Amino acid sequence: MQHAGPKSFLWSLQAVVALVFTLIVLAISGALIGFNHHQLTKLTVRDAEDDFQRITNSVRDEIAGSMRIAGSVLDTASLTIDPELPSEQLAKLLTSVLKDLDRVLPAAMGLFVGRGDGSHVVIQSLNGKWPVEIGTDIDRAAFAFMIVEDGEAGHTARWIVTDENGQVLRRVPPRPTTFDPRRRPWYGPSLSSSGMIVTPPYRFANVPEVGITLARQARLKAGAVFGIDMTLASLDFYLDKLRIPPELELLVFDKSGVLIAHPRGGTYRSERQAAQEGKFLTVDDTGSPLLSGMFRAFQQNQDNQGRSVSFSVGGDEYFGRTERVGEGIDNLFVGLAIPYETMVGPVQQIRSGLLIISAASVLLALLIVLFASRRLALPLRNATEDIRRIMKFEFGHARRAQSRVVEVQELSGAIDTLEIALSNFMRYVPNALVRRIIGRKFSSDLGGKRQPVTVLFSDVAGFTTMAEGLDPEEVMAKTSRYFSELGSELVRSGATIDKYIGDSIMAFWNAPDEREDYVAIACLGALRASRRLDRLNAEFMAEDGSPMRTRFGMHTGDAVVGNVGSADRVNYTVLGHTVNMASRLEKLNKRYGTTILVSEDVCAAAGKDYLFRFVDRTVPEGAHHPMALYELLGSVRPDEPEVAPFPERVDTLDIWKAVCANCETGDWHSASELLEKLVAIAPDDMLFRVYLERCRANLGSLQAT
């Protein structure tokens, strides 16, 4: 007789899988919960350090942004404003600059020019800080001018008070003064520097305010210095906005303990001012044990700047940090502190909820991942590939299959919208600029930097007359066709097209992408555009239309390159004397009958591959000294045969050089004979006729005498 053995316990596959999966989930959940429990306090400290760093960076960015804006204004002023203008005329000009500056930089308190003879013109905004010299009770007062001049009895200072519209409200007669801009902390360093200098914090001469001065020497007159006074007290309001939570304490101070900024800085200064007039407010003067404790912690840990420290004040533990502001103001420091209790108090409340949330989240996440991963993986990979292609500016793709997942479908729609928006955006903004924006190599902040560029202006001769004979639709179609042909050649040659102005184009090279041969490629771009227009004009004439004969002007030199505009709309452009000269040269083409007129700087920097002929030596409008002008005839590069100089121009060069030599020595008779020969050879070359008339006029003057 056989006995049945013990009955085996059977497990279903579903139960086994469920048990194993449950054990895995519980193991993962337990590990995560245990790890979170152990690391929570450490992470809280790390979060506090990150917040400290964010606040410190915000303060730095606020100061740096203000300095960039002020620096851009100084660059432009030093390039465009003549410091030798009469004092009151210069004061009115500086007032308009200060008005614009006040809108974007409230910290700017004054704008001035100090001259080498000791004279000084300063424009100061009357925003609650009035110089004692002008008195009080002046309704509608907005600006005060201090003009320091040299008289028979020495230096005198007079004051003029105006309203917002420039109307004079009060004049204070000249009084003897010891103020001399040459003894101010910004004058000497500005003259010994080629760029902008920033002074350490100091007390301003006219108002009881602590601030810094940004200054740089004038480019139009040696010995003159432009400067902007910036008060640091405006940081008080900015620090107050950063004070979250309210238990957070933060301040800006210098190494000696002078309080520069604090959320309650204005109150501290007003309480201290009556008793301690003429002295800086120190951290200890505030009467705050915490602020004094923060400064003592800084003194004890100066070698550990940028690291978090713990310190005790009145039996309470605090977590703090001190960092140098930098950005050209190395003597200023940002200090932060928060009570330990405030920092880690919520930890206990979070911990209990985290135990439940972590376990539930892990279980739910695993279930969702198992169910959705297969369906989401493929469309997400396709979306990633599409985005990668768009970031490479490769537009156009095969139509994707529709997903049943709403988010994936919306993502596909968003990618399509991104592609359309970016492709259209590149038609309004230069491609090089868009690539730098997408690559995070470009800032849209207002301001710019000084760098060498080559600038080109073009203009269509007789455009107004042509446009009057056509319908507006025809003018638009023809102009668009013209700009498309001309612009494509300029962009192909590395140009950044700044703007289309009616029938004109402004373009520049060496920004935003810099390269050493920017002058040479600018010449190549102008030649390519000119030859392309020759072919286009032949098409216009074959279509019974009038040609669009175009003249070009080019100049190279330093300019301010960057963003100009307002907070909601900016234009990437170039400003300065170089731009003005390029525009003037374009207009001079009409005088000489030339096509591509360039400055001697362009001729010298273009290189041996380009052929020029001398045109004239003259003083263009807006310039102060004579400038040699040249016509760009073509390029002798073997890889660019279409831009080779025209043979009729090359054949006359030797005789033309002889003409120029005779004109230089005053041999008008020999020059006239050679010019008559040139006019017979090339009757369409207006330059020869211009010089022939000049020689005949000079011969007539000699015979008359």
Side-chain angles (χ1 to χ4, degrees):
M1 183 178 179
Q2 293 182 351
H3 297 278
K7 188 176 180 180
S8 301
F9 185 81
L10 299 179
W11 292 81
S12 69
L13 180 60
Q14 182 177 358
V16 172
V17 172
L19 178 60
V20 172
F21 191 76
T22 301
L23 292 175
I24 293 174
V25 171
L26 289 176
I28 295 174
S29 299
L32 289 175
I33 293 171
F35 180 78
N36 287 338
H37 180 78
H38 178 73
Q39 295 291 328
L40 191 56
T41 302
K42 183 183 293 186
L43 291 176
T44 301
V45 172
R46 187 176 301 169
D47 287 342
E49 291 178 337
D50 290 343
D51 287 341
F52 285 178
Q53 189 63 55
R54 174 184 56 80
I55 293 173
T56 302
N57 290 339
S58 297
V59 176
R60 285 181 179 143
D61 291 344
E62 176 75 6
I63 296 176
S66 299
M67 293 179 66
R68 279 195 297 270
I69 294 173
S72 177
V73 171
L74 284 180
D75 274 341
T76 304
S78 64
L79 278 169
T80 58
I81 297 178
D82 184 2
E84 292 298 306
L85 290 172
S87 295
E88 291 200 22
Q89 182 181 349
L90 181 59
K92 293 179 180 178
L93 183 58
L94 293 178
T95 302
S96 65
V97 177
L98 185 58
K99 281 184 182 179
D100 293 335
L101 185 59
D102 277 343
R103 297 187 184 99
V104 295
L105 188 60
M109 212 176 71
L111 180 63
F112 63 81
V113 175
R115 299 171 176 144
D117 60 357
S119 61
H120 188 67
V121 177
V122 59
I123 314 304
Q124 182 176 318
S125 296
L126 300 178
N127 54 356
K129 302 294 183 182
W130 287 42
V132 297
E133 294 85 353
I134 67 173
T136 57
D137 300 328
I138 308 177
D139 291 338
R140 299 182 292 108
F143 299 98
F145 310 163
M146 183 182 79
I147 300 176
V148 177
E149 298 169 315
D150 189 14
E152 296 180 358
H155 281 79
T156 60
R158 56 190 175 95
W159 288 84
I160 302 174
V161 182
T162 71
D163 64 7
E164 186 70 23
N165 299 318
Q167 182 179 355
V168 176
L169 304 177
R170 177 175 294 178
R171 289 181 179 269
V172 179
R175 299 176 182 174
T177 182
T178 58
F179 184 93
D180 189 337
R182 296 167 296 187
R183 295 199 295 266
R184 302 301 291 171
W186 40 262
Y187 186 82
S190 295
L191 294 183
S192 61
S193 172
S194 61
M196 184 182 73
I197 65 99
V198 182
T199 67
Y202 70 102
R203 182 176 293 277
F204 293 138
N206 298 323
V207 293
E209 195 73 31
V210 178
I212 59 173
T213 294
L214 288 73
R216 70 167 301 145
Q217 61 176 310
R219 257 72 66 86
L220 300 181
K221 178 67 177 179
V225 174
F226 287 86
I228 296 175
D229 289 330
M230 291 176 55
T231 174
L232 295 177
S234 61
L235 281 173
D236 293 346
F237 177 73
Y238 189 72
L239 293 183
D240 189 51
K241 292 195 299 183
L242 296 175
R243 196 177 188 181
I244 301 173
E247 292 83 3
L248 175 68
E249 188 64 274
L250 64 161
L251 73 160
V252 178
F253 59 93
D254 71 8
K255 192 171 184 179
S256 63
V258 172
L259 182 68
I260 302 299
H262 182 270
R264 295 184 64 247
T267 302
Y268 286 139
R269 294 186 191 95
S270 61
E271 293 173 351
R272 181 72 176 169
Q273 186 174 4
Q276 298 289 339
E277 190 71 25
K279 287 185 62 179
F280 288 116
L281 179 68
T282 67
V283 174
D284 289 334
D285 290 336
T286 63
S288 169
L290 177 55
L291 296 183
S292 298
M294 292 171 65
F295 181 65
R296 284 194 300 272
F298 158 76
Q299 291 177 311
Q300 296 169 3
N301 297 276
Q302 290 194 43
D303 295 334
N304 292 322
Q305 291 176 29
R307 297 181 182 178
S308 300
V309 297
S310 299
F311 59 96
S312 177
V313 175
D316 296 326
E317 290 295 321
Y318 288 86
F319 182 72
R321 185 188 186 100
T322 303
E323 285 194 21
R324 192 184 299 272
V325 170
E327 301 293 346
I329 316 177
D330 294 332
N331 192 40
L332 296 189
F333 300 85
V334 180
L336 308 96
I338 190 169
Y340 257 112
E341 182 179 353
T342 300
M343 184 175 62
V344 301
V347 169
Q348 299 300 329
Q349 298 177 3
I350 295 174
R351 185 174 300 159
S352 299
L354 189 60
L355 292 173
I356 300 172
I357 294 173
S358 295
S361 297
V362 171
L363 285 172
L364 183 60
L366 289 174
L367 292 174
I368 294 174
V369 168
L370 288 173
F371 177 78
S373 58
R374 279 186 192 177
R375 292 185 176 273
L376 290 177
L378 181 58
L380 288 178
R381 279 197 299 269
N382 292 337
T384 302
E385 183 59 33
D386 285 341
I387 292 175
R388 186 180 295 112
R389 175 181 49 77
I390 292 172
M391 298 301 287
K392 293 180 180 179
F393 304 100
E394 299 172 357
F395 302 119
H397 63 275
R399 187 169 182 84
R400 297 178 295 270
Q402 293 291 326
S403 172
R404 293 183 179 272
V405 179
V406 174
E407 289 76 10
V408 174
Q409 190 172 356
E410 290 178 350
L411 176 60
S412 298
I415 292 174
D416 292 339
T417 302
L418 172 64
E419 182 173 354
I420 294 172
L422 187 57
S423 61
N424 287 325
F425 180 56
M426 294 183 70
R427 302 182 65 184
Y428 287 91
V429 180
N431 289 358
L433 194 59
V434 176
R435 293 180 186 276
R436 293 177 71 88
I437 293 173
I438 297 298
R440 299 183 180 182
K441 298 178 181 178
F442 180 81
S443 172
S444 61
D445 293 339
L446 295 177
K449 66 174 182 177
R450 190 169 181 258
Q451 69 180 73
V453 293
T454 298
V455 183
L456 175 144
F457 277 85
S458 74
D459 186 65
V460 177
F463 179 80
T464 302
T465 302
M466 181 199 72
E468 289 175 351
L470 298 174
D471 292 332
E473 293 81 5
E474 294 177 319
V475 174
M476 176 66 73
K478 189 171 184 177
T479 304
S480 298
R481 183 177 171 188
Y482 164 82
F483 280 143
S484 177
E485 299 283 338
L486 179 62
S488 64
E489 290 296 344
L490 294 176
V491 172
R492 183 166 74 95
S493 303
T496 297
I497 295 181
D498 185 290
K499 58 180 72 71
Y500 296 100
I501 315 168
D503 59 317
S504 303
I505 292 180
M506 173 184 170
F508 55 89
W509 283 261
N510 206 39
D513 296 328
E514 299 182 20
R515 52 185 295 174
E516 294 182 358
D517 60 342
Y518 65 94
V519 179
I521 63 172
C523 292
L524 179 61
L527 288 169
R528 285 175 172 173
S530 178
R531 300 297 191 266
R532 182 76 168 265
L533 288 175
D534 289 342
R535 298 192 294 271
L536 179 63
N537 284 329
E539 296 175 10
F540 285 151
M541 296 177 69
E543 298 166 2
D544 296 330
S546 57
M548 299 181 72
R549 307 192 188 281
T550 302
R551 300 183 286 246
F552 302 87
M554 294 175 59
H555 184 48
T556 189
D558 285 350
V560 177
V561 182
N563 297 319
V564 175
S566 61
D568 61 341
R569 183 69 59 86
V570 298
N571 179 31
Y572 181 76
T573 187
V574 292
L575 299 173
H577 182 69
T578 299
V579 180
N580 297 334
M581 284 301 100
S583 176
R584 302 295 188 273
L585 294 183
E586 181 276 314
K587 291 179 174 60
L588 287 174
N589 279 292
K590 185 176 181 180
R591 179 190 298 178
Y592 302 105
T594 50
T595 299
I596 306 176
L597 195 61
V598 305
S599 64
E600 56 186 323
D601 293 333
V602 172
C603 180
K608 59 183 179 58
D609 291 336
Y610 296 91
L611 184 64
F612 299 86
R613 71 171 178 178
F614 176 78
V615 173
D616 201 355
R617 184 176 296 277
T618 186
V619 181
E621 181 184 353
H624 300 288
H625 303 287
M627 176 185 294
L629 308 181
Y630 294 82
E631 182 180 14
L632 176 58
L633 300 180
S635 171
V636 295
R637 293 172 49 157
D639 58 336
E640 295 280 350
E642 71 277 5
V643 296
F646 296 122
E648 57 268 25
R649 289 288 192 265
V650 177
D651 293 343
T652 59
L653 270 182
D654 290 339
I655 302 177
W656 172 247
K657 292 178 181 177
V659 169
C660 293
N662 289 332
C663 290
E664 186 72 22
T665 60
D667 188 354
W668 308 113
H669 181 73
S670 298
S672 296
E673 292 180 346
L674 293 174
L675 285 167
E676 289 174 353
K677 182 177 180 181
L678 287 175
V679 171
I681 296 173
D684 294 332
D685 197 327
M686 179 178 167
L687 181 63
F688 299 153
R689 298 199 305 272
V690 169
Y691 264 78
L692 182 57
E693 293 177 2
R694 184 183 298 180
C695 289
R696 288 174 176 173
N698 285 317
L699 283 173
S701 299
L702 291 175
Q703 292 173 358
T705 58

